[in-house]
């Protein structure tokens, strides 16, 4: 019982740290937004991420964890991911937002299938309110229509984002036995980590198509 | 009727632009936050400001205005204010947050006394959910207790913030006759702009005392 609770707290703490890192990276990248509507859209995304953060923070506390400690504990791996995938342009930032939002949604969706119902409900609720990064799709498609030569470098960028995300997720999971057990040793659908990452890669391909980068 | 509506749209537009500028300035200044709890607190403030932004944006739209156009129209004066009051340290940023939040609250409170009831309700609602910058008071007081020599320069900084805020508010109002009329030509308590700014200065002194900077 206390082990399960401990694993729950760790998993929620991991999700919380990821949410916080995503939020702060939006804060950093907001400086690239070229127009007032873009700046407004980014500020709305930041607010949406913080709403998820608050929901997850409540779960960390309920599972006996400390939200601030959780953010601090996992900050490095998320910061590392963002550091190696720092966009060099507003378009790269938009692609990263959409792809990153989608990867997070996938991660939650896989969790929701495999996890105890308490976690499942929170995951569904947190992801139920996303979709605000859809604006990125419109902006990227418009840019590609105006200049098709952007397609090839942005497609490469998208592939790099997936590769780095999977590498960094694996680092996190390798260090957290309790979370690994929770994800892959239960009676859920996540038989292996390989299945988990294959599913994420398949949906990433769909998102690249959404952006016009297939 | 259409003149009143026009003035309402302008006033809400002005409030909206101020809210947006405050939000983005928090985004910029968040880079100074030294610890994880500080970074979390700032992210929560950003989310709270964006909630106010959404509420005001609805009012701009309801009054026949365009939120994005309003933000763009008034961006310069708010950016100018923030540019001449850029904090040089985390403590200066905290003082600015608390003082700036208070000045905005005063502005809304004066409006709520003087304005048609529709504006009054929105102002009360937007300001009813502030107070999250109270964390700034704790941080500043703790820093002053640890190093009393910080008091004098921070007190000077606080006075400068008030002076610049009033100067910039006056520039905005001087350019917006319709808003001036709405504020000072009705049957409300705001007989003159001088009364308005005197009231704000008096409450500023109280806030400096709150921070331990009296």
């Amino acid at each position: 019982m206390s082990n399960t609770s401990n694993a729950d707290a760790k998993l929620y703490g991991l999700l919380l740290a990821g949410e916080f890192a995503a939020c702060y990276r939006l804060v950093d990248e907001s400086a690239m937004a070229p127009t007032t509507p873009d700046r407004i859209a980014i500020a709305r995304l930041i607010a949406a991420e913080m709403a998820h953060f608050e929901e997850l923070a409540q779960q960390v506390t309920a599972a006996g964890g400390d939200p601030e400690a959780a953010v601090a504990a996992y900050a490095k791996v998320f910061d590392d991911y963002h550091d190696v995938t720092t966009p060099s342009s507003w378009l790269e930032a938009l692609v990263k937002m959409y792809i990153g939002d989608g990867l997070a949604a996938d991660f939650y969706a896989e969790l929701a299938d495999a996890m105890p119902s308490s976690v499942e409900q929170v995951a569904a609720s947190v992801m139920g309110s996303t979709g605000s990064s859809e604006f990125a799709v419109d902006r990227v498609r418009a840019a590609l229509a105006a200049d098709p030569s952007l397609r090839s470098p942005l497609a490469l960028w998208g592939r790099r984002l997936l590769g780095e995300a999977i590498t960094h997720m694996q680092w996190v999971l390798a260090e957290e036995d309790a979370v690994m057990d929770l994800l892959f040793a239960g009676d859920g659908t996540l038989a292996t980590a390989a299945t988990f990452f294959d599913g994420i890669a398949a949906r990433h391909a769909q998102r690249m198509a959404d952006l016009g980068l297939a």
Side-chain angles (χ1 to χ4, degrees), chain A:
Chain A
M1 184 64 188
S2 115
N3 276 346
T4 304
S5 172
N6 183 41
D8 279 3
K10 285 205 169 188
L11 177 59
Y12 282 127
L14 192 54
L15 298 177
L16 182 73
E19 196 67 56
F20 189 70
C23 183
Y24 251 85
R25 197 43 60 133
L26 280 175
V27 165
D28 289 346
E29 290 167 7
S30 65
M32 291 180 172
T35 70
T36 298
D38 289 326
R39 286 163 66 92
I40 292 173
I42 294 292
R44 287 182 162 144
L45 281 175
I46 293 170
E49 298 283 6
M50 279 308 292
H52 298 167
F53 175 86
E54 300 297 356
E55 196 164 350
L56 289 165
Q58 284 175 13
Q59 295 300 324
V60 170
T61 305
D66 173 56
E68 293 180 355
V71 169
Y74 296 114
K76 190 177 178 307
V77 69
F78 289 107
D79 286 346
D80 282 349
Y81 165 72
H82 288 295
D83 285 346
V84 296
T85 58
T86 298
S88 63
S89 69
W90 175 235
L91 274 177
E92 284 192 1
L94 288 169
V95 170
K96 185 178 167 185
M97 267 169 231
Y98 186 72
I99 295 296
D101 224 46
L103 288 170
D106 280 353
F107 191 72
Y108 282 95
E110 295 284 356
L111 287 183
D113 285 347
M115 298 288 295
S117 63
S118 65
V119 180
E120 191 177 332
Q121 282 166 18
V122 174
S125 163
V126 167
M127 291 320 300
S129 47
T130 51
S132 40
S133 74
E134 293 291 329
F135 97 99
V137 173
D138 297 336
R139 300 288 199 284
V140 172
R141 284 190 162 267
L144 291 176
D147 181 359
S149 76
L150 294 167
R151 180 168 285 113
S152 172
L154 284 179
L156 195 63
W157 171 245
R159 277 196 292 280
R160 225 186 98 205
L161 292 173
L162 176 69
E164 294 291 355
I166 288 182
T167 301
H168 285 79
M169 277 194 222
Q170 285 171 334
W171 283 344
V172 173
L173 294 177
E175 281 178 18
E176 292 294 350
D177 289 346
V179 174
M180 278 293 273
D181 287 352
L182 197 62
L183 285 174
F184 303 116
D187 53 1
T189 56
L190 289 180
T192 65
T195 318
F196 178 69
F197 289 114
D198 284 352
I200 285 177
R203 281 187 298 269
H204 174 79
Q206 178 55 50
R207 279 188 294 271
M208 292 293 280
D210 295 343
L211 289 166
L213 296 173

